[in-house]
Amino acid sequence: MSNTLNPVPMVAVVMAGGRGTRFWPRSRNARPKQFLAIVGTETLLHQTVRRLEGHVAPERVFVVTTEDLAEETRRMLPELPPENVLVEPEGRNTAPCLALALVQIERRFPGSVMAVLSADHWIGDRQRFLEDLDTAARHAATARELVTFGIRPTYPETGYGYIESEGEGAVLQVKAFREKPPVEVALQYLESGRHYWNAGMFVWTLADLRAGLEAHAPEVLAPLDAWSRDGADPRTLAAAYRQLPQVAIDVALMEKAKSVAVVPARFSWSDVGSWPAAIEFQDADAQGNVSQGDTLLLDTRNSAFFGGRRLIAASGVEDLIVVDEPDALLICHRDRAQSVKQIVERLKAEGREDLL
């Protein structure tokens, strides 16, 4: 079986080792963001894999995750061969993750194009997504360029990196990758029409990923190549991983490569990065409130309540986010939702592993 729209043989790699700490207390170490049904009734991981159904064969879909999440990942995705859940001994950012996928996939599906996706993003317009994916795959195979996806900005976001493009058409050239900007620069990017949010999704041939890592980040690839030549024994992978730097694929490869293309996405996208982002997908009442679970709201506005087993009653409040779990209750202002990550860091520093 091959994908139905694209003659280029494709494999998909879903990165699924993140923790989603900004969704605490619902997201925990054993139940990270990609295991949650934040948007819709299916988990984000399910949605990511099933988005490829009928387009990329199950035996060509791989999920990379960490050892403590591997068993649950396999249980949640019975449609995938168990060996297609690739296990990192520890998370060391996206460059080691993709290098591990490369050395295992190129033995099974040489000559393929690799599509790299995140397990915890929301994508609308599935058909447009698949068409854009095919556009990127054909370009990667014929032009032999590394390809990324750009999301046209809709507001001056300061928490994303940006891609500056040049040229015209369905595939543009990357002029530069720009760091997360201050708001005044983000406004300039928004108005330019040439800047896109960096969604962290990529397409390249296996051969070009290998060549790029060998040229720009050999320290990421060499220990895994040695491990693969020695038989790729899972029991010895941890020793190889300890030699790897913690580095993102953007830094290790994309920002250094000489020829990189960007496909402006025609599909809607969100990284669902925090509780306010999740609120955007819920229906609000006449006072702007979003409620899940049993709630009783009096004179309450522009707030969100994510309940559990008990009633949440609120009176005379506004601009709050409340998340109720059996062992923890989060209450924060909507404008301070990014600080949830700091709460998790504080709990970790205090040894409160029972709440993580």
PDB file of all heavy atoms in Angstrom, residues 89 92 95-96 99-100 103-104 107 210 213-214 217-233 236-247:
ATOM      1  N   PRO A  89      15.849   6.273  24.856  1.00  0.00           N
ATOM      2  CA  PRO A  89      16.106   6.048  26.283  1.00  0.00           C
ATOM      3  C   PRO A  89      15.789   7.274  27.124  1.00  0.00           C
ATOM      4  O   PRO A  89      15.410   7.159  28.287  1.00  0.00           O
ATOM      5  CB  PRO A  89      17.608   5.723  26.322  1.00  0.00           C
ATOM      6  CG  PRO A  89      17.980   5.355  24.939  1.00  0.00           C
ATOM      7  CD  PRO A  89      17.055   6.105  24.040  1.00  0.00           C
ATOM      8  N   ARG A  92      16.185  13.975  24.167  1.00  0.00           N
ATOM      9  CA  ARG A  92      17.344  14.858  23.995  1.00  0.00           C
ATOM     10  C   ARG A  92      17.080  15.863  22.870  1.00  0.00           C
ATOM     11  O   ARG A  92      17.961  16.216  22.108  1.00  0.00           O
ATOM     12  CB  ARG A  92      18.621  14.063  23.738  1.00  0.00           C
ATOM     13  CG  ARG A  92      18.983  13.135  24.894  1.00  0.00           C
ATOM     14  CD  ARG A  92      20.381  12.585  24.798  1.00  0.00           C
ATOM     15  NE  ARG A  92      21.400  13.571  25.060  1.00  0.00           N
ATOM     16  CZ  ARG A  92      21.770  13.983  26.272  1.00  0.00           C
ATOM     17  NH1 ARG A  92      21.176  13.490  27.349  1.00  0.00           N
ATOM     18  NH2 ARG A  92      22.730  14.872  26.415  1.00  0.00           N
ATOM     19  N   ALA A  95      16.692  16.800  17.254  1.00  0.00           N
ATOM     20  CA  ALA A  95      17.728  16.303  16.351  1.00  0.00           C
ATOM     21  C   ALA A  95      18.088  14.845  16.658  1.00  0.00           C
ATOM     22  O   ALA A  95      18.098  13.996  15.747  1.00  0.00           O
ATOM     23  CB  ALA A  95      18.960  17.198  16.386  1.00  0.00           C
ATOM     24  N   PRO A  96      18.395  14.463  17.906  1.00  0.00           N
ATOM     25  CA  PRO A  96      18.612  13.048  18.200  1.00  0.00           C
ATOM     26  C   PRO A  96      17.395  12.176  17.894  1.00  0.00           C
ATOM     27  O   PRO A  96      17.538  11.051  17.404  1.00  0.00           O
ATOM     28  CB  PRO A  96      18.941  13.049  19.691  1.00  0.00           C
ATOM     29  CG  PRO A  96      19.539  14.388  19.935  1.00  0.00           C
ATOM     30  CD  PRO A  96      18.740  15.316  19.061  1.00  0.00           C
ATOM     31  N   ALA A  99      17.430  11.642  14.162  1.00  0.00           N
ATOM     32  CA  ALA A  99      18.574  10.822  13.770  1.00  0.00           C
ATOM     33  C   ALA A  99      18.321   9.354  14.120  1.00  0.00           C
ATOM     34  O   ALA A  99      18.671   8.442  13.343  1.00  0.00           O
ATOM     35  CB  ALA A  99      19.843  11.323  14.453  1.00  0.00           C
ATOM     36  N   LEU A 100      17.713   9.101  15.271  1.00  0.00           N
ATOM     37  CA  LEU A 100      17.357   7.730  15.639  1.00  0.00           C
ATOM     38  C   LEU A 100      16.370   7.141  14.643  1.00  0.00           C
ATOM     39  O   LEU A 100      16.505   5.987  14.216  1.00  0.00           O
ATOM     40  CB  LEU A 100      16.763   7.707  17.051  1.00  0.00           C
ATOM     41  CG  LEU A 100      16.259   6.347  17.536  1.00  0.00           C
ATOM     42  CD1 LEU A 100      17.401   5.357  17.660  1.00  0.00           C
ATOM     43  CD2 LEU A 100      15.527   6.490  18.871  1.00  0.00           C
ATOM     44  N   VAL A 103      18.276   6.217  11.231  1.00  0.00           N
ATOM     45  CA  VAL A 103      19.114   5.017  11.152  1.00  0.00           C
ATOM     46  C   VAL A 103      18.280   3.739  11.203  1.00  0.00           C
ATOM     47  O   VAL A 103      18.732   2.687  10.736  1.00  0.00           O
ATOM     48  CB  VAL A 103      20.186   5.004  12.254  1.00  0.00           C
ATOM     49  CG1 VAL A 103      21.092   6.225  12.138  1.00  0.00           C
ATOM     50  CG2 VAL A 103      19.581   4.916  13.642  1.00  0.00           C
ATOM     51  N   GLN A 104      17.063   3.818  11.729  1.00  0.00           N
ATOM     52  CA  GLN A 104      16.210   2.626  11.762  1.00  0.00           C
ATOM     53  C   GLN A 104      15.341   2.507  10.512  1.00  0.00           C
ATOM     54  O   GLN A 104      15.108   1.403  10.013  1.00  0.00           O
ATOM     55  CB  GLN A 104      15.348   2.649  13.024  1.00  0.00           C
ATOM     56  CG  GLN A 104      16.181   2.612  14.299  1.00  0.00           C
ATOM     57  CD  GLN A 104      15.372   2.269  15.524  1.00  0.00           C
ATOM     58  OE1 GLN A 104      14.805   1.195  15.636  1.00  0.00           O
ATOM     59  NE2 GLN A 104      15.316   3.206  16.467  1.00  0.00           N
ATOM     60  N   ARG A 107      17.040   1.412   6.802  1.00  0.00           N
ATOM     61  CA  ARG A 107      17.271  -0.014   6.555  1.00  0.00           C
ATOM     62  C   ARG A 107      16.021  -0.683   6.000  1.00  0.00           C
ATOM     63  O   ARG A 107      16.114  -1.630   5.217  1.00  0.00           O
ATOM     64  CB  ARG A 107      17.680  -0.720   7.855  1.00  0.00           C
ATOM     65  CG  ARG A 107      18.979  -0.261   8.466  1.00  0.00           C
ATOM     66  CD  ARG A 107      19.526  -1.299   9.441  1.00  0.00           C
ATOM     67  NE  ARG A 107      18.517  -1.727  10.405  1.00  0.00           N
ATOM     68  CZ  ARG A 107      18.391  -1.214  11.624  1.00  0.00           C
ATOM     69  NH1 ARG A 107      19.197  -0.245  12.012  1.00  0.00           N
ATOM     70  NH2 ARG A 107      17.462  -1.652  12.448  1.00  0.00           N
ATOM     71  N   ARG A 210      20.365  12.465   5.938  1.00  0.00           N
ATOM     72  CA  ARG A 210      21.668  11.907   6.309  1.00  0.00           C
ATOM     73  C   ARG A 210      22.799  12.844   5.888  1.00  0.00           C
ATOM     74  O   ARG A 210      23.694  13.152   6.689  1.00  0.00           O
ATOM     75  CB  ARG A 210      21.859  10.521   5.689  1.00  0.00           C
ATOM     76  CG  ARG A 210      23.294   9.978   5.793  1.00  0.00           C
ATOM     77  CD  ARG A 210      23.405   8.519   5.483  1.00  0.00           C
ATOM     78  NE  ARG A 210      22.818   7.732   6.563  1.00  0.00           N
ATOM     79  CZ  ARG A 210      23.434   7.470   7.712  1.00  0.00           C
ATOM     80  NH1 ARG A 210      24.657   7.957   7.946  1.00  0.00           N
ATOM     81  NH2 ARG A 210      22.858   6.741   8.637  1.00  0.00           N
ATOM     82  N   LEU A 213      22.907  15.960   8.165  1.00  0.00           N
ATOM     83  CA  LEU A 213      23.427  15.707   9.510  1.00  0.00           C
ATOM     84  C   LEU A 213      24.918  15.417   9.469  1.00  0.00           C
ATOM     85  O   LEU A 213      25.677  15.868  10.344  1.00  0.00           O
ATOM     86  CB  LEU A 213      22.669  14.546  10.158  1.00  0.00           C
ATOM     87  CG  LEU A 213      21.218  14.832  10.552  1.00  0.00           C
ATOM     88  CD1 LEU A 213      20.537  13.566  11.059  1.00  0.00           C
ATOM     89  CD2 LEU A 213      21.138  15.935  11.611  1.00  0.00           C
ATOM     90  N   GLU A 214      25.357  14.680   8.466  1.00  0.00           N
ATOM     91  CA  GLU A 214      26.793  14.405   8.351  1.00  0.00           C
ATOM     92  C   GLU A 214      27.580  15.693   8.152  1.00  0.00           C
ATOM     93  O   GLU A 214      28.693  15.843   8.679  1.00  0.00           O
ATOM     94  CB  GLU A 214      27.042  13.440   7.194  1.00  0.00           C
ATOM     95  CG  GLU A 214      26.609  12.013   7.484  1.00  0.00           C
ATOM     96  CD  GLU A 214      26.778  11.088   6.296  1.00  0.00           C
ATOM     97  OE1 GLU A 214      26.950  11.590   5.157  1.00  0.00           O
ATOM     98  OE2 GLU A 214      26.733   9.851   6.500  1.00  0.00           O
ATOM     99  N   ALA A 217      25.916  18.338  11.600  1.00  0.00           N
ATOM    100  CA  ALA A 217      25.764  17.858  12.983  1.00  0.00           C
ATOM    101  C   ALA A 217      26.236  16.413  13.103  1.00  0.00           C
ATOM    102  O   ALA A 217      25.476  15.537  13.533  1.00  0.00           O
ATOM    103  CB  ALA A 217      24.306  17.996  13.426  1.00  0.00           C
ATOM    104  N   PRO A 218      27.490  16.129  12.727  1.00  0.00           N
ATOM    105  CA  PRO A 218      27.962  14.739  12.796  1.00  0.00           C
ATOM    106  C   PRO A 218      27.938  14.180  14.207  1.00  0.00           C
ATOM    107  O   PRO A 218      27.806  12.960  14.394  1.00  0.00           O
ATOM    108  CB  PRO A 218      29.392  14.832  12.247  1.00  0.00           C
ATOM    109  CG  PRO A 218      29.784  16.264  12.437  1.00  0.00           C
ATOM    110  CD  PRO A 218      28.525  17.053  12.241  1.00  0.00           C
ATOM    111  N   GLU A 219      28.036  15.067  15.200  1.00  0.00           N
ATOM    112  CA  GLU A 219      28.009  14.595  16.582  1.00  0.00           C
ATOM    113  C   GLU A 219      26.658  14.010  16.970  1.00  0.00           C
ATOM    114  O   GLU A 219      26.559  13.250  17.944  1.00  0.00           O
ATOM    115  CB  GLU A 219      28.378  15.741  17.529  1.00  0.00           C
ATOM    116  CG  GLU A 219      27.355  16.870  17.633  1.00  0.00           C
ATOM    117  CD  GLU A 219      27.415  17.878  16.482  1.00  0.00           C
ATOM    118  OE1 GLU A 219      28.198  17.671  15.535  1.00  0.00           O
ATOM    119  OE2 GLU A 219      26.656  18.876  16.532  1.00  0.00           O
ATOM    120  N   VAL A 220      25.612  14.352  16.222  1.00  0.00           N
ATOM    121  CA  VAL A 220      24.289  13.786  16.474  1.00  0.00           C
ATOM    122  C   VAL A 220      24.152  12.418  15.830  1.00  0.00           C
ATOM    123  O   VAL A 220      23.525  11.504  16.390  1.00  0.00           O
ATOM    124  CB  VAL A 220      23.185  14.734  15.954  1.00  0.00           C
ATOM    125  CG1 VAL A 220      21.807  14.085  16.083  1.00  0.00           C
ATOM    126  CG2 VAL A 220      23.215  16.057  16.717  1.00  0.00           C
ATOM    127  N   LEU A 221      24.742  12.245  14.670  1.00  0.00           N
ATOM    128  CA  LEU A 221      24.530  11.024  13.886  1.00  0.00           C
ATOM    129  C   LEU A 221      25.550   9.927  14.168  1.00  0.00           C
ATOM    130  O   LEU A 221      25.193   8.734  14.189  1.00  0.00           O
ATOM    131  CB  LEU A 221      24.549  11.384  12.398  1.00  0.00           C
ATOM    132  CG  LEU A 221      24.143  10.287  11.413  1.00  0.00           C
ATOM    133  CD1 LEU A 221      22.749   9.755  11.725  1.00  0.00           C
ATOM    134  CD2 LEU A 221      24.207  10.817   9.981  1.00  0.00           C
ATOM    135  N   ALA A 222      26.812  10.284  14.381  1.00  0.00           N
ATOM    136  CA  ALA A 222      27.872   9.283  14.454  1.00  0.00           C
ATOM    137  C   ALA A 222      27.645   8.224  15.539  1.00  0.00           C
ATOM    138  O   ALA A 222      27.795   7.012  15.265  1.00  0.00           O
ATOM    139  CB  ALA A 222      29.229   9.965  14.642  1.00  0.00           C
ATOM    140  N   PRO A 223      27.276   8.580  16.779  1.00  0.00           N
ATOM    141  CA  PRO A 223      27.060   7.535  17.789  1.00  0.00           C
ATOM    142  C   PRO A 223      25.914   6.588  17.424  1.00  0.00           C
ATOM    143  O   PRO A 223      25.979   5.389  17.734  1.00  0.00           O
ATOM    144  CB  PRO A 223      26.745   8.331  19.064  1.00  0.00           C
ATOM    145  CG  PRO A 223      27.380   9.661  18.841  1.00  0.00           C
ATOM    146  CD  PRO A 223      27.197   9.931  17.376  1.00  0.00           C
ATOM    147  N   LEU A 224      24.894   7.098  16.744  1.00  0.00           N
ATOM    148  CA  LEU A 224      23.774   6.242  16.361  1.00  0.00           C
ATOM    149  C   LEU A 224      24.140   5.368  15.173  1.00  0.00           C
ATOM    150  O   LEU A 224      23.675   4.222  15.071  1.00  0.00           O
ATOM    151  CB  LEU A 224      22.547   7.105  16.050  1.00  0.00           C
ATOM    152  CG  LEU A 224      21.972   7.839  17.264  1.00  0.00           C
ATOM    153  CD1 LEU A 224      20.871   8.798  16.845  1.00  0.00           C
ATOM    154  CD2 LEU A 224      21.445   6.846  18.297  1.00  0.00           C
ATOM    155  N   ASP A 225      24.961   5.868  14.270  1.00  0.00           N
ATOM    156  CA  ASP A 225      25.456   5.025  13.185  1.00  0.00           C
ATOM    157  C   ASP A 225      26.284   3.864  13.743  1.00  0.00           C
ATOM    158  O   ASP A 225      26.149   2.715  13.294  1.00  0.00           O
ATOM    159  CB  ASP A 225      26.310   5.849  12.217  1.00  0.00           C
ATOM    160  CG  ASP A 225      25.483   6.500  11.116  1.00  0.00           C
ATOM    161  OD1 ASP A 225      24.341   6.044  10.875  1.00  0.00           O
ATOM    162  OD2 ASP A 225      25.966   7.459  10.502  1.00  0.00           O
ATOM    163  N   ALA A 226      27.138   4.152  14.713  1.00  0.00           N
ATOM    164  CA  ALA A 226      27.950   3.100  15.321  1.00  0.00           C
ATOM    165  C   ALA A 226      27.064   2.073  16.017  1.00  0.00           C
ATOM    166  O   ALA A 226      27.293   0.853  15.904  1.00  0.00           O
ATOM    167  CB  ALA A 226      28.942   3.717  16.308  1.00  0.00           C
ATOM    168  N   TRP A 227      26.049   2.565  16.719  1.00  0.00           N
ATOM    169  CA  TRP A 227      25.093   1.656  17.387  1.00  0.00           C
ATOM    170  C   TRP A 227      24.382   0.792  16.361  1.00  0.00           C
ATOM    171  O   TRP A 227      24.220  -0.425  16.559  1.00  0.00           O
ATOM    172  CB  TRP A 227      24.091   2.492  18.183  1.00  0.00           C
ATOM    173  CG  TRP A 227      22.908   1.739  18.697  1.00  0.00           C
ATOM    174  CD1 TRP A 227      22.875   0.878  19.754  1.00  0.00           C
ATOM    175  CD2 TRP A 227      21.574   1.760  18.153  1.00  0.00           C
ATOM    176  NE1 TRP A 227      21.602   0.369  19.914  1.00  0.00           N
ATOM    177  CE2 TRP A 227      20.792   0.897  18.945  1.00  0.00           C
ATOM    178  CE3 TRP A 227      20.978   2.431  17.087  1.00  0.00           C
ATOM    179  CZ2 TRP A 227      19.434   0.683  18.690  1.00  0.00           C
ATOM    180  CZ3 TRP A 227      19.632   2.225  16.847  1.00  0.00           C
ATOM    181  CH2 TRP A 227      18.871   1.368  17.629  1.00  0.00           C
ATOM    182  N   SER A 228      23.964   1.365  15.236  1.00  0.00           N
ATOM    183  CA  SER A 228      23.274   0.615  14.196  1.00  0.00           C
ATOM    184  C   SER A 228      24.186  -0.439  13.569  1.00  0.00           C
ATOM    185  O   SER A 228      23.774  -1.580  13.344  1.00  0.00           O
ATOM    186  CB  SER A 228      22.745   1.574  13.126  1.00  0.00           C
ATOM    187  OG  SER A 228      22.045   0.882  12.125  1.00  0.00           O
ATOM    188  N   ARG A 229      25.434  -0.071  13.297  1.00  0.00           N
ATOM    189  CA  ARG A 229      26.381  -1.030  12.707  1.00  0.00           C
ATOM    190  C   ARG A 229      26.655  -2.198  13.647  1.00  0.00           C
ATOM    191  O   ARG A 229      26.917  -3.319  13.199  1.00  0.00           O
ATOM    192  CB  ARG A 229      27.688  -0.323  12.361  1.00  0.00           C
ATOM    193  CG  ARG A 229      27.607   0.572  11.131  1.00  0.00           C
ATOM    194  CD  ARG A 229      28.997   0.984  10.671  1.00  0.00           C
ATOM    195  NE  ARG A 229      29.731   1.714  11.700  1.00  0.00           N
ATOM    196  CZ  ARG A 229      29.699   3.037  11.827  1.00  0.00           C
ATOM    197  NH1 ARG A 229      28.976   3.775  10.981  1.00  0.00           N
ATOM    198  NH2 ARG A 229      30.395   3.637  12.781  1.00  0.00           N
ATOM    199  N   ASP A 230      26.554  -1.943  14.952  1.00  0.00           N
ATOM    200  CA  ASP A 230      26.826  -2.989  15.935  1.00  0.00           C
ATOM    201  C   ASP A 230      25.618  -3.882  16.186  1.00  0.00           C
ATOM    202  O   ASP A 230      25.661  -4.732  17.087  1.00  0.00           O
ATOM    203  CB  ASP A 230      27.287  -2.365  17.258  1.00  0.00           C
ATOM    204  CG  ASP A 230      28.692  -1.792  17.159  1.00  0.00           C
ATOM    205  OD1 ASP A 230      29.416  -2.171  16.224  1.00  0.00           O
ATOM    206  OD2 ASP A 230      29.049  -0.966  18.011  1.00  0.00           O
ATOM    207  N   GLY A 231      24.549  -3.661  15.431  1.00  0.00           N
ATOM    208  CA  GLY A 231      23.384  -4.537  15.547  1.00  0.00           C
ATOM    209  C   GLY A 231      22.131  -3.891  16.062  1.00  0.00           C
ATOM    210  O   GLY A 231      21.096  -4.542  16.171  1.00  0.00           O
ATOM    211  N   ALA A 232      22.191  -2.606  16.422  1.00  0.00           N
ATOM    212  CA  ALA A 232      21.011  -1.862  16.874  1.00  0.00           C
ATOM    213  C   ALA A 232      20.297  -2.552  18.029  1.00  0.00           C
ATOM    214  O   ALA A 232      19.075  -2.655  18.067  1.00  0.00           O
ATOM    215  CB  ALA A 232      20.051  -1.624  15.711  1.00  0.00           C
ATOM    216  N   ASP A 233      21.073  -3.024  18.991  1.00  0.00           N
ATOM    217  CA  ASP A 233      20.513  -3.681  20.170  1.00  0.00           C
ATOM    218  C   ASP A 233      19.880  -2.618  21.071  1.00  0.00           C
ATOM    219  O   ASP A 233      20.565  -1.689  21.513  1.00  0.00           O
ATOM    220  CB  ASP A 233      21.623  -4.419  20.917  1.00  0.00           C
ATOM    221  CG  ASP A 233      21.086  -5.281  22.055  1.00  0.00           C
ATOM    222  OD1 ASP A 233      19.971  -5.002  22.559  1.00  0.00           O
ATOM    223  OD2 ASP A 233      21.781  -6.225  22.450  1.00  0.00           O
ATOM    224  N   THR A 236      21.715  -1.457  24.248  1.00  0.00           N
ATOM    225  CA  THR A 236      22.922  -0.622  24.213  1.00  0.00           C
ATOM    226  C   THR A 236      22.641   0.797  23.705  1.00  0.00           C
ATOM    227  O   THR A 236      23.555   1.603  23.588  1.00  0.00           O
ATOM    228  CB  THR A 236      23.991  -1.266  23.313  1.00  0.00           C
ATOM    229  OG1 THR A 236      23.477  -1.400  21.978  1.00  0.00           O
ATOM    230  CG2 THR A 236      24.381  -2.644  23.840  1.00  0.00           C
ATOM    231  N   LEU A 237      21.378   1.092  23.408  1.00  0.00           N
ATOM    232  CA  LEU A 237      21.049   2.406  22.871  1.00  0.00           C
ATOM    233  C   LEU A 237      21.288   3.515  23.892  1.00  0.00           C
ATOM    234  O   LEU A 237      21.702   4.619  23.538  1.00  0.00           O
ATOM    235  CB  LEU A 237      19.596   2.431  22.395  1.00  0.00           C
ATOM    236  CG  LEU A 237      19.110   3.749  21.780  1.00  0.00           C
ATOM    237  CD1 LEU A 237      19.971   4.149  20.588  1.00  0.00           C
ATOM    238  CD2 LEU A 237      17.638   3.633  21.358  1.00  0.00           C
ATOM    239  N   ALA A 238      21.040   3.237  25.173  1.00  0.00           N
ATOM    240  CA  ALA A 238      21.215   4.273  26.197  1.00  0.00           C
ATOM    241  C   ALA A 238      22.653   4.775  26.228  1.00  0.00           C
ATOM    242  O   ALA A 238      22.897   5.981  26.394  1.00  0.00           O
ATOM    243  CB  ALA A 238      20.810   3.732  27.563  1.00  0.00           C
ATOM    244  N   ALA A 239      23.616   3.879  26.041  1.00  0.00           N
ATOM    245  CA  ALA A 239      25.019   4.287  26.048  1.00  0.00           C
ATOM    246  C   ALA A 239      25.310   5.208  24.867  1.00  0.00           C
ATOM    247  O   ALA A 239      26.046   6.195  24.994  1.00  0.00           O
ATOM    248  CB  ALA A 239      25.932   3.061  26.014  1.00  0.00           C
ATOM    249  N   ALA A 240      24.742   4.892  23.706  1.00  0.00           N
ATOM    250  CA  ALA A 240      24.914   5.754  22.539  1.00  0.00           C
ATOM    251  C   ALA A 240      24.247   7.105  22.764  1.00  0.00           C
ATOM    252  O   ALA A 240      24.788   8.152  22.392  1.00  0.00           O
ATOM    253  CB  ALA A 240      24.347   5.074  21.297  1.00  0.00           C
ATOM    254  N   TYR A 241      23.075   7.095  23.391  1.00  0.00           N
ATOM    255  CA  TYR A 241      22.331   8.340  23.596  1.00  0.00           C
ATOM    256  C   TYR A 241      23.060   9.293  24.529  1.00  0.00           C
ATOM    257  O   TYR A 241      22.931  10.517  24.396  1.00  0.00           O
ATOM    258  CB  TYR A 241      20.922   8.035  24.119  1.00  0.00           C
ATOM    259  CG  TYR A 241      19.845   8.444  23.136  1.00  0.00           C
ATOM    260  CD1 TYR A 241      19.720   7.771  21.916  1.00  0.00           C
ATOM    261  CD2 TYR A 241      18.989   9.497  23.391  1.00  0.00           C
ATOM    262  CE1 TYR A 241      18.756   8.150  21.001  1.00  0.00           C
ATOM    263  CE2 TYR A 241      18.020   9.885  22.471  1.00  0.00           C
ATOM    264  CZ  TYR A 241      17.916   9.207  21.284  1.00  0.00           C
ATOM    265  OH  TYR A 241      16.974   9.596  20.364  1.00  0.00           O
ATOM    266  N   ARG A 242      23.793   8.738  25.488  1.00  0.00           N
ATOM    267  CA  ARG A 242      24.511   9.615  26.422  1.00  0.00           C
ATOM    268  C   ARG A 242      25.586  10.431  25.722  1.00  0.00           C
ATOM    269  O   ARG A 242      26.044  11.442  26.256  1.00  0.00           O
ATOM    270  CB  ARG A 242      25.120   8.774  27.547  1.00  0.00           C
ATOM    271  CG  ARG A 242      24.101   8.312  28.586  1.00  0.00           C
ATOM    272  CD  ARG A 242      24.771   7.780  29.830  1.00  0.00           C
ATOM    273  NE  ARG A 242      25.457   6.507  29.584  1.00  0.00           N
ATOM    274  CZ  ARG A 242      24.895   5.318  29.713  1.00  0.00           C
ATOM    275  NH1 ARG A 242      23.628   5.225  30.091  1.00  0.00           N
ATOM    276  NH2 ARG A 242      25.585   4.224  29.485  1.00  0.00           N
ATOM    277  N   GLN A 243      25.978  10.018  24.528  1.00  0.00           N
ATOM    278  CA  GLN A 243      26.991  10.757  23.767  1.00  0.00           C
ATOM    279  C   GLN A 243      26.385  11.895  22.941  1.00  0.00           C
ATOM    280  O   GLN A 243      27.127  12.707  22.369  1.00  0.00           O
ATOM    281  CB  GLN A 243      27.724   9.802  22.823  1.00  0.00           C
ATOM    282  CG  GLN A 243      28.397   8.623  23.493  1.00  0.00           C
ATOM    283  CD  GLN A 243      29.001   7.677  22.467  1.00  0.00           C
ATOM    284  OE1 GLN A 243      29.753   8.087  21.594  1.00  0.00           O
ATOM    285  NE2 GLN A 243      28.648   6.402  22.564  1.00  0.00           N
ATOM    286  N   LEU A 244      25.064  11.960  22.848  1.00  0.00           N
ATOM    287  CA  LEU A 244      24.412  12.904  21.947  1.00  0.00           C
ATOM    288  C   LEU A 244      24.165  14.246  22.629  1.00  0.00           C
ATOM    289  O   LEU A 244      23.805  14.297  23.803  1.00  0.00           O
ATOM    290  CB  LEU A 244      23.077  12.335  21.455  1.00  0.00           C
ATOM    291  CG  LEU A 244      23.128  10.973  20.764  1.00  0.00           C
ATOM    292  CD1 LEU A 244      21.734  10.559  20.328  1.00  0.00           C
ATOM    293  CD2 LEU A 244      24.065  11.003  19.568  1.00  0.00           C
ATOM    294  N   PRO A 245      24.308  15.333  21.899  1.00  0.00           N
ATOM    295  CA  PRO A 245      23.956  16.638  22.457  1.00  0.00           C
ATOM    296  C   PRO A 245      22.445  16.808  22.511  1.00  0.00           C
ATOM    297  O   PRO A 245      21.707  16.144  21.781  1.00  0.00           O
ATOM    298  CB  PRO A 245      24.573  17.622  21.459  1.00  0.00           C
ATOM    299  CG  PRO A 245      24.535  16.881  20.154  1.00  0.00           C
ATOM    300  CD  PRO A 245      24.784  15.434  20.501  1.00  0.00           C
ATOM    301  N   GLN A 246      22.001  17.689  23.382  1.00  0.00           N
ATOM    302  CA  GLN A 246      20.588  18.068  23.393  1.00  0.00           C
ATOM    303  C   GLN A 246      20.429  19.254  22.465  1.00  0.00           C
ATOM    304  O   GLN A 246      20.797  20.382  22.819  1.00  0.00           O
ATOM    305  CB  GLN A 246      20.133  18.417  24.810  1.00  0.00           C
ATOM    306  CG  GLN A 246      20.129  17.236  25.762  1.00  0.00           C
ATOM    307  CD  GLN A 246      19.313  17.505  27.017  1.00  0.00           C
ATOM    308  OE1 GLN A 246      18.472  18.395  27.032  1.00  0.00           O
ATOM    309  NE2 GLN A 246      19.550  16.737  28.058  1.00  0.00           N
ATOM    310  N   VAL A 247      19.865  19.005  21.279  1.00  0.00           N
ATOM    311  CA  VAL A 247      19.797  20.070  20.285  1.00  0.00           C
ATOM    312  C   VAL A 247      18.589  19.856  19.380  1.00  0.00           C
ATOM    313  O   VAL A 247      18.248  18.718  19.027  1.00  0.00           O
ATOM    314  CB  VAL A 247      21.105  20.133  19.461  1.00  0.00           C
ATOM    315  CG1 VAL A 247      21.373  18.829  18.727  1.00  0.00           C
ATOM    316  CG2 VAL A 247      21.091  21.317  18.497  1.00  0.00           C
TER     317      VAL A 247
END
